[in-house]
Amino acid sequence: MRLHITMYDLKEKDYFSNIRRDLIEEIPFGPHIVLEVGCGQGETGAALKKEGRAFWVTGIELVDDAAQCANKILDQVIIGNIEHIELPFSQGQFDVVILGDVLEHLVDPWKQLKRLLQYVSPNGIVVASIPNVRNWRVVVPLLVAGEWEYKDSGILDKTHLRFFTKKSITKLFELNNLRIKKIIPIGRRSKIVARLRVGFLSELITPQYLIVGIYDSIKWVSNN
């Protein structure tokens, strides 16, 4: 019986079972070897295989119950906190790394992203989604009322340890030698405003960004 209860154990059940169509659509068709950090119950990885976008999917999941579900439908599941566990992978093993709403939960996302890249193949891709703290629902209460109130979900989720804007997301990727292929707002309204090229307004109404980076392994080696 588990005696240690974390904030993740108090999440709604569907928190771990969402299929991330937005992330899936950024992964090209082909027999890719995929690593999904924060795989939940494995639904996204299973969909990748079913649709012919992956041959093998390895998941890493912190919450035991979700990981046990993922283990039934993915090829390999590692249970634990990525910041504390050893990773049994070989250099350049994965074609794709997925970080769907993960980096903001880490103590040191900069270190962990760099760590993961040693397992990415040359010109492999990293697909991530990261909340945007510049959203008006955070900025206006902070500026007008001095409020910064953590919630059970959303941008100020109680489990979030780090906060990013579009600019700092871009910097996070570029510092790790990931050439940004795409950074787009998630959400229909945000996408419409972005098309109007009203940059400042777009950032204020965007709750989250999707980013795709291509790994420049040669540059990584030269910098290390």
Side-chain angles (χ1 to χ4, degrees), residues 109-118 120-126 168-181 211-224:
W110 302 274
K111 177 181 178 180
Q112 295 307 316
L113 181 57
K114 183 176 181 178
R115 179 190 182 202
L116 286 169
L117 286 176
Q118 65 185 303
V120 179
S121 60
N123 296 314
I125 65 172
V126 175
S168 61
I169 292 170
T170 301
K171 187 175 181 180
L172 169 66
F173 269 53
E174 290 180 341
L175 284 175
N176 283 287
N177 303 317
L178 285 160
R179 176 168 53 84
I180 295 174
K181 177 183 179 183
I211 183 166
V212 180
I214 300 175
Y215 175 48
D216 188 342
S217 59
I218 296 176
K219 189 174 181 181
W220 190 93
V221 171
S222 66
N223 288 345
N224 289 273

Side-chain angles (χ1 to χ4, degrees), residues 9 25 40 72 76 82 87 89 99 109 132 139 171 200:
D9 293 295
E25 290 171 3
K72 298 175 183 178
Q76 178 186 24
I82 190 172
L87 299 178
F89 308 136
L99 295 158
N132 170 38
V139 174
K171 187 175 181 180
F200 178 73

Side-chain angles (χ1 to χ4, degrees), residues 11-75:
K11 291 285 190 183
E12 296 292 334
K13 290 184 179 180
D14 62 0
Y15 181 84
F16 300 100
S17 61
N18 292 329
I19 298 179
R20 292 297 301 270
R21 292 299 326 170
D22 50 348
L23 304 182
I24 289 172
E25 290 171 3
E26 298 302 327
I27 298 169
F29 292 98
H32 304 298
I33 309 300
V34 177
L35 172 63
E36 183 180 9
V37 182
C39 67
Q41 295 180 5
E43 300 289 349
T44 296
L48 285 172
K49 295 189 68 176
K50 183 178 180 180
E51 296 177 19
R53 299 175 191 262
F55 169 73
W56 178 282
V57 178
T58 293
I60 299 176
E61 175 54 47
L62 171 66
V63 177
D64 184 78
D65 289 346
Q68 296 301 334
C69 292
N71 197 42
K72 298 175 183 178
I73 56 178
L74 300 184
D75 300 287

Side-chain angles (χ1 to χ4, degrees), residues 186-199:
I186 294 176
R188 184 171 176 271
R189 293 180 180 178
S190 302
K191 290 180 180 179
I192 291 173
V193 174
R195 290 193 191 102
L196 297 175
R197 300 187 183 280
V198 187

